[in-house]
Amino acid sequence: MNTQFWLIQAFNGISYGALLFLLASGLTLIFGVMRIVNLSHGAYFLLGGYVALSVIAATGSWLLALPVAAAVVAVIGLLMERIFLRRVGFDPLRQVLLTVGFAFLFQQAALDIWGGDNLDITPPDMLRGSTVLGGLHFPMYRIFMIATAIVVGTILWLMMEKTRAGAMIRAAVDDSEMARGVGIDTSRVSMFIFALGAFLAGLGGVVGGAFLGVYPGLDFEILPIAFAVVIIGGMGSLTGAAVGSLIVGLADNFGKALFPEISYFTLYAPMVLILALKPTGLFGRE
Amino acid sequence: MLHKLGGSCSWMVVMGCLALGVSVSRTSAAAEELRIGFVAPMTGGFAQVGKDMSNGFQMYLDEVGGSFAGAKVKFIVEDSEAKPPVAVRKAEKLVLQDKVHMLVGGLLASTGYALAPVSTRQKTVYIASVPSADDLTQRQSADYPYVIRTGWSSSQPSHPFGEWACQQGYKRIVTIGADFAFGYEVVGGFQRAFESCGGKVIQKIWPPLGTQDFGPYIPTLKKDADAIFTLMAGPMSLQFPKQLADAGIKKPVLGGGTSYDEFVLPSMGDEVHGHVSALQYSAALDTPKNAAFVKKYREKYGKVPSYYSESNYTTAQMIHEVFKKTGGKWPGAQKFIETLSKMKFDAVRGPVHFDDMRNPVQNVYIKKIERKKMFGYPNDELWNTVTKTYPNVSQFWNYGKTEFLKQPVYSRDYPPCKFCE
Amino acid sequence: MFLTDRGKLWTVFVIVLALAILAPFASAYVILLVTQALILAILAMSLDILLGFTGLPSLGQAAYLGMGAYLTAILATRYDFGLGWSFWVVIVLGILIGAATAALFGLFAIRAAGVSFLMITLALGMCVWGLAYRWNSMTGGDNGINIPARPKFGIQLADGVTYYYLVLFFFVMSLAMLYVLIKSPFGRSLVGIRERELRMRILGYNTWLHKYIAFVIAGGFGGLAGVLWAHLNGIVSPQVVVLATSVDALLMVVLGGPGTLVGGAIGAAVVVFLRDYLSTVVPWWQYVLGGVYVLTILYLPGGLMGIPARIRRWREEQAGPGQEKKR
């Protein structure tokens, strides 16, 4: 257990956290604005991967697959929000079950469309192999994941802090009654946020597809981990999602490397602890 | 209306539907119908493997026109989702509802351990065509009188492989194996044989079954090892060598059979060139029988057969042979097992017969991955070239049956890692 | 059609009697499915105490099922305990471990409400899953634990019908006990808390303690279901504690009708029918399962048990808009 070990493990943990951030940032935004616990978010992630595979099969372009898959998933999310979630109103339990129902529907649809095989997205050659730095091998794809998360995180932050839309969203997060009072169309804000969340999940699915594979069941494997991020970071907070992703990525990685017997416990126990001490998570607000 | 404790018509309707829906059982059991319940994962991460399994069986059925010596075969496939409890429920359904004569299949060792008690409970034949859990035909074989294995036991190829590793001059080996019964048995068998000829296993790592990100594990591999022994299953097989290569590790890699089986080999890249594994089958086995099998299978399903395909193809062949003897009549569970276990077969994989604990005795092939042309196919492809054959390997290797059975079954902690630092 | 309380009790009685009498005539597979449904019905009813009566939507109810099941399996395989008369001890221990787990989890969860309660129970449930999945030396990890045989004590539980009767017995006992519970003053104050927590607090009720006790009781019944579950398939694996099991339990309650107890049982029957029977008949069964989720939420807010009330309201409206509903 020398410095090399710690360095490379930390790097691995951060890169995994970067992938989680793509998924969790959408989840947390949806929660923050709409108070919806979206259990079909894992399905969005998986669908993103599948759509990307189709795009790659049709056009051969991985670069094109990124935005197309994310956009397709965003449209699915948008429709789901407009047609169904809207009608349920504010009732956490019913929202949860509705989104679970959709998760099952998506699962079956994916199985019918893409089959049950274990698929894998092949990234461009440029992102394969690894960079050697000081005798350590840093896989290119992991570097790419970190870069993507940073870019996406920055864009989200700029949008939230510097634009009018962002101000409206923040107002809706803080107090949707008040926001409506000052003339913000919260319904449209909700629609936008839900689509954005789905977009990010779909994007995550494409990026993650080359790393985790694309296969039935991935949706419900990744979902609880994304929730761990959101719960630790604080529901509704973008900063929280970033910090939470790092914590979970590192906890997961070091947990597996150092305490394999209780590795998932090391992931969820801190979550419970944080919730017990600060029920709103690290950066969440009451 | 808070306490609506009490029934309404809906309750009746639901229960009625349930009862009606499921009691439509097939009662017409014509004497010459043979019902085979096939349990394999059709969805989830192992779906590809499950497809290979059922394809193998189906191909034989098609070859003989769907009947075994006059008995019409009804082949019912149920999806186990690669989850043992689901497999158990589906098996119960096959036995209780479809009244199958035998269960075939199962994939993971854990599924094998879960299905065997069902066969005992229901007094139904269970042919473990793939699950290789050692104890099914070892320490627990007396508990499962209706189980017979047509595939292999997990540690069976590992024993000669361990010896082979010694002969290559490897002294110190690290193992990384999927964290479940199958992994323990393949790695355990290798460790025992390797250490009994002087080698040392200096580290054992157990990533969970289904791990896709080996990031946490690869950096922990000890740098001073001569070689790495890996045991992967399902989708893990594809990811591990890729990530190992990405991390810049260039040590020789040995693997349990499933790490480099043909179910995944075509999707692999040149990073696996030169990796060596051991199993009772290779698609590159250079015999006329196998050449014909590979060509036919490939033509039919568009891919090279894996050991999963071969094993189930051969299983179908074996059942057929038994029915030839009985004149197309179902002989009863006990008699079926008795007859089958005394027969000798000339299978695609080579000669096979059974030991008295109903496990096959067969060749084990040491296979090296090479990119080359084979069987007249035009392109260079990755093949598991057979470099050495250990003939007639028994599950007890050369340890002797009684001696072997005195040891506990291989597990996470057995054999103990004496040389781990 | 619309029965008084007494009438409803009679209906339940008749149905249970029918279940008991008809069993020997049903096919073995139907028996197996109904046994499964009855066990899950106990779990669903335990959840209904939380969700329907106290207003706490728990997303971690599978944890108690898992605790009971793993306890049973571990005792049976390691200590050879619980396979004879000691089975009854295991039943008690199973209830206790479920209750104890809930007692621990409740300390974290009870002070939360609504969405936070959902999330924290989800987290707690995942902790149990994590242990089951990775704590190999205790739980067998992904392999799970195979229980050699069902208990026998005078009677052979290995027989499907016998085991069915045992489960039916526990189901009826659970139903009766939970019914008594909700009819008790304690049960009524739970409903009061669900409706108006603040008011109850002002009236001097310790609402936290009430919720906590309900949570623990629900855990106990969950543990009981776990013991029975372990012996049903003879295998306990992390599969019993996955998130989907908890979510299914929620669906059972919501589908049947929250706050009705037997609604959970009906929901359990439907879910078992879909997951275990329909899945062997048609490959697209998940569309039906997903569809049931979606349609229930959109069109059946009161669940299946709410249908009669809906019909009545509809009829009254038909009869004449002037008529006031008698509630």
Side-chain angles (χ1 to χ4, degrees):
Chain A
M1 306 270 167
N2 46 20
T3 350
Q4 286 206 339
F5 170 84
W6 292 98
L7 265 176
I8 203 83
Q9 289 288 17
F11 170 76
N12 285 342
I14 292 169
S15 56
Y16 184 49
L19 178 63
L20 291 178
F21 175 75
L22 294 180
L23 193 59
S25 52
L27 199 58
T28 205
L29 282 175
I30 290 176
F31 182 87
V33 175
M34 306 166 73
R35 305 266 126 188
I36 285 178
V37 179
N38 181 20
L39 288 192
S40 46
H41 215 70
Y44 291 169
F45 180 83
L46 183 59
L47 283 178
Y50 275 128
V51 174
L53 278 169
S54 292
V55 173
I56 292 172
T59 65
S61 166
W62 177 83
L63 211 57
L64 185 69
L66 276 173
V68 171
V72 168
V73 176
V75 170
I76 293 174
L78 187 92
L79 292 176
M80 197 175 126
E81 198 270 341
R82 278 292 110 169
I83 302 174
F84 297 100
L85 274 170
R86 192 120 289 267
R87 300 177 49 180
V88 177
F90 178 66
D91 177 344
L93 176 69
R94 295 178 62 208
Q95 291 168 344
V96 163
L97 289 177
L98 190 72
T99 54
V100 170
F102 274 100
F104 287 142
L105 291 175
F106 291 147
Q107 218 171 42
Q108 179 77 49
L111 195 64
D112 287 345
I113 301 173
W114 291 280
D117 283 0
N118 189 74
L119 305 168
D120 200 20
I121 296 175
T122 312
D125 282 342
M126 194 187 123
L127 295 178
R128 296 160 83 176
S130 48
T131 313
V132 185
L133 218 76
L136 293 178
H137 283 74
F138 295 98
M140 285 307 290
Y141 201 76
R142 287 177 182 272
I143 297 175
F144 165 73
M145 292 198 300
I146 297 175
T148 311
I150 292 175
V151 170
V152 168
T154 313
I155 293 175
L156 283 177
W157 181 79
L158 286 175
M159 187 190 81
M160 294 295 273
E161 298 294 326
K162 306 287 174 199
T163 66
R164 208 179 118 70
M168 274 159 61
I169 293 168
R170 275 180 295 137
V173 173
D174 285 344
D175 189 336
S176 66
E177 292 278 312
M178 188 85 87
R180 219 168 299 143
V182 299
I184 293 173
D185 184 351
T186 49
S187 161
R188 283 187 53 194
V189 170
S190 295
M191 181 178 81
F192 172 72
I193 282 296
F194 206 85
L196 177 66
F199 181 90
L200 291 169
L203 189 70
V206 187
V207 173
F211 182 63
L212 301 172
V214 185
Y215 55 94
L218 175 66
D219 43 355
F220 274 92
E221 276 170 34
I222 196 93
L223 183 69
I225 303 175
F227 267 109
V229 171
V230 173
I231 293 172
I232 289 175
M235 294 176 259
S237 158
L238 210 53
T239 324
V243 175
S245 300
L246 275 181
I247 294 178
V248 170
L250 290 169
D252 181 67
N253 207 79
F254 280 103
K256 280 175 180 160
L258 300 174
F259 318 103
E261 277 253 305
I262 52 167
S263 52
Y264 283 90
F265 191 70
T266 58
L267 189 64
Y268 293 109
M271 170 161 95
V272 172
L273 206 66
I274 287 176
L275 276 177
L277 297 174
K278 194 167 181 301
T280 48
L282 291 177
F283 294 86
R285 270 171 288 184
E286 285 296 341
Chain B
M1 291 299 289
L2 280 174
H3 307 300
K4 282 182 284 189
L5 181 96
S8 64
C9 58
S10 50
W11 163 262
M12 296 270 214
V13 169
V14 171
M15 292 312 284
C17 286
L18 186 69
L20 273 179
V22 290
S23 56
V24 191
S25 56
R26 271 141 273 187
T27 42
S28 60
E32 65 284 343
E33 187 180 63
L34 170 65
R35 290 178 297 278
I36 298 176
F38 195 81
V39 182
M42 290 293 139
T43 55
F46 290 87
Q48 237 164 324
V49 176
K51 199 55 75 52
D52 278 5
M53 290 171 61
S54 62
N55 282 351
F57 203 102
Q58 189 66 51
M59 180 163 126
Y60 187 87
L61 270 185
D62 292 350
E63 276 177 19
V64 297
S67 94
F68 286 169
K72 198 166 157 20
V73 178
K74 188 166 179 192
F75 184 55
I76 311 166
V77 181
E78 287 291 349
D79 178 12
S80 70
E81 301 168 29
K83 296 168 187 161
V86 177
V88 169
R89 287 212 286 276
K90 295 292 167 73
E92 302 253 14
K93 181 257 173 187
L94 286 166
V95 174
L96 298 174
Q97 176 82 353
D98 300 322
K99 311 264 188 288
V100 296
H101 295 100
M102 64 176 79
L103 297 166
V104 178
L107 167 60
L108 303 178
S110 44
T111 308
Y113 278 130
L115 285 180
V118 177
S119 83
T120 308
R121 192 154 72 224
Q122 306 290 0
K123 299 191 173 41
T124 303
V125 170
Y126 169 41
I127 302 182
S129 56
V130 173
S132 51
D134 277 359
D135 265 357
L136 288 183
T137 56
Q138 290 177 9
R139 289 155 204 87
Q140 296 173 11
S141 79
D143 298 342
Y144 308 130
Y146 301 104
V147 170
I148 186 164
R149 177 139 56 196
T150 54
W152 54 308
S153 64
S154 320
S155 58
Q156 195 171 1
S158 290
H159 294 136
F161 200 24
E163 190 184 284
W164 179 87
C166 276
Q167 288 165 1
Q168 307 310 303
Y170 299 131
K171 297 275 183 273
R172 298 157 64 80
I173 282 184
V174 296
T175 71
I176 175 164
D179 195 357
F180 72 132
F182 174 65
Y184 309 151
E185 291 170 1
V186 173
V187 171
F190 179 83
Q191 183 189 353
R192 179 172 176 193
F194 181 59
E195 292 191 342
S196 60
C197 56
K200 289 177 180 171
V201 167
I202 55 168
Q203 186 188 23
K204 291 159 90 172
I205 302 172
W206 303 110
L209 180 65
T211 296
Q212 307 282 345
D213 172 14
F214 289 90
Y217 307 103
I218 289 175
T220 61
L221 291 167
K222 288 234 180 329
K223 303 273 178 295
D224 55 345
D226 302 329
I228 300 168
F229 182 85
T230 88
L231 187 276
M232 299 293 147
M236 301 169 83
S237 309
L238 187 55
Q239 299 297 335
F240 180 73
K242 254 203 247 176
Q243 296 183 18
L244 194 69
D246 281 352
I249 295 178
K250 294 191 180 67
K251 291 181 196 305
V253 183
L254 315 180
T258 54
S259 299
Y260 298 103
D261 181 71
E262 285 80 2
F263 86 92
V264 68
L265 192 62
S267 324
M268 290 177 157
D270 278 338
E271 71 271 4
V272 296
H273 211 278
H275 291 197
V276 182
S277 61
L279 204 64
Q280 74 278 7
Y281 179 70
S282 163
L285 186 60
D286 211 353
T287 62
K289 204 170 180 135
N290 184 53
F293 175 68
V294 171
K295 280 181 191 151
K296 192 159 175 198
Y297 188 95
R298 197 167 187 182
E299 194 180 326
K300 193 163 169 134
Y301 299 111
K303 55 186 290 205
V304 170
S306 60
Y307 103 80
Y308 302 100
S309 326
E310 189 277 341
S311 197
N312 286 285
Y313 178 87
T314 299
T315 301
Q317 180 199 351
M318 288 171 168
I319 301 171
H320 188 193
E321 294 296 328
V322 173
F323 268 70
K324 277 184 193 162
K325 279 202 167 175
T326 63
K329 291 271 177 296
W330 172 244
Q334 210 170 348
K335 191 85 199 339
F336 177 86
I337 296 276
E338 249 171 55
T339 316
L340 177 53
S341 62
K342 291 210 180 71
M343 293 172 75
K344 284 182 189 230
F345 298 92
D346 182 20
V348 173
R349 72 182 89 147
V352 179
H353 68 275
F354 296 90
D355 64 20
D356 60 351
M357 300 188 101
R358 303 183 298 279
N359 189 69
V361 176
Q362 55 199 355
N363 294 347
V364 166
Y365 304 105
I366 307 294
K367 318 181 289 183
K368 185 176 196 162
I369 298 174
E370 288 175 349
R371 187 173 280 284
K372 61 175 185 181
K373 290 186 179 63
M374 192 112 200
F375 300 135
Y377 289 114
N379 297 326
D380 272 340
E381 295 170 297
L382 291 174
W383 289 95
N384 273 314
T385 308
V386 175
T387 58
K388 179 162 184 171
T389 303
Y390 286 85
N392 287 322
V393 176
S394 129
Q395 59 177 333
F396 308 116
W397 186 221
N398 47 26
Y399 297 117
K401 178 179 159 187
T402 34
E403 201 51 37
F404 188 91
L405 292 178
K406 272 187 213 154
Q407 311 260 9
V409 69
Y410 297 123
S411 66
R412 225 166 187 271
D413 314 302
Y414 186 85
C417 198
K418 294 183 292 250
F419 305 105
C420 285
E421 291 131 25
Chain C
M1 186 72 204
F2 310 113
L3 306 164
T4 59
D5 262 15
R6 177 169 302 224
K8 283 172 188 161
L9 278 176
W10 273 107
T11 319
V12 171
F13 179 74
V14 167
I15 289 167
V16 169
L17 203 67
L19 280 176
I21 293 172
L22 292 179
F25 305 103
S27 89
Y29 184 54
V30 174
I31 295 283
L32 188 73
L33 286 179
V34 178
T35 311
Q36 199 179 332
L38 287 172
I39 297 172
L40 289 177
I42 298 176
L43 182 75
M45 293 190 304
S46 78
L47 181 58
D48 197 19
I49 293 294
L50 294 180
L51 175 66
F53 293 94
T54 321
L56 294 173
S58 167
L59 206 43
Q61 202 65 8
Y64 315 116
L65 184 78
M67 292 304 280
Y70 270 104
L71 177 89
T72 310
I74 289 168
L75 286 178
T77 49
R78 293 201 171 194
Y79 306 100
D80 212 9
F81 185 81
L83 297 173
W85 280 103
S86 49
F87 170 71
W88 297 93
V89 181
V90 176
I91 288 282
V92 175
L93 289 176
I95 296 172
L96 287 179
I97 201 170
T101 311
L104 176 67
F105 286 4
L107 294 176
F108 296 97
I110 293 299
R111 60 183 209 171
V115 183
S116 309
F117 185 82
L118 270 173
M119 300 305 297
I120 198 159
T121 46
L122 180 144
L124 291 162
M126 291 312 292
C127 281
V128 173
W129 173 81
L131 284 179
Y133 186 52
R134 292 300 298 150
W135 191 8
N136 267 284
S137 43
M138 186 55 101
T139 63
D142 199 46
N143 294 331
I145 306 175
N146 281 291
I147 303 173
R150 281 193 194 148
K152 50 181 161 191
F153 40 89
I155 50 172
Q156 263 286 10
L157 292 186
D159 174 56
V161 178
T162 315
Y163 193 64
Y164 163 80
Y165 278 120
L166 180 89
V167 170
L168 184 65
F169 165 76
F170 279 111
F171 169 75
V172 173
M173 291 304 286
S174 308
L175 181 61
M177 286 200 281
L178 291 172
Y179 180 68
V180 170
L181 178 84
I182 55 166
K183 285 293 179 191
S184 70
F186 175 77
R188 278 199 290 274
S189 25
L190 288 183
V191 175
I193 290 169
R194 183 192 67 188
E195 296 296 318
R196 290 209 168 144
E197 179 159 3
L198 193 60
R199 188 168 139 241
M200 294 297 280
R201 223 179 286 162
I202 292 166
L203 287 172
Y205 285 88
N206 182 344
T207 56
W208 184 91
L209 191 64
H210 274 78
K211 289 202 247 177
Y212 185 71
I213 292 174
F215 197 74
V216 172
I217 291 174
F221 280 97
L224 169 68
V227 176
L228 299 172
W229 189 254
H231 283 302
L232 177 72
N233 291 320
I235 177 166
V236 178
S237 85
Q239 213 50 45
V240 296
V241 279
V242 292
L243 180 59
T245 311
S246 291
V247 177
D248 267 359
L250 269 183
L251 173 73
M252 291 171 196
V253 176
V254 174
L255 175 62
T260 59
L261 273 191
V262 288
I266 297 171
V270 175
V271 171
V272 166
F273 175 76
L274 292 177
R275 271 204 187 274
D276 286 279
Y277 179 67
L278 197 63
S279 69
T280 65
V281 185
V282 290
W284 39 264
W285 62 279
Q286 272 211 64
Y287 285 133
V288 183
L289 183 68
V292 165
Y293 269 86
V294 172
L295 294 177
T296 307
I297 295 305
L298 291 180
Y299 297 111
L300 278 181
L304 292 171
M305 292 288 285
I307 291 177
R310 285 194 131 201
I311 297 175
R312 177 174 44 189
R313 219 170 302 143
W314 178 75
R315 273 200 199 151
E316 278 166 2
E317 277 162 22
Q318 295 288 308
Q323 268 181 322
E324 270 300 310
K325 276 182 278 184
K326 291 183 202 101
R327 295 216 94 187

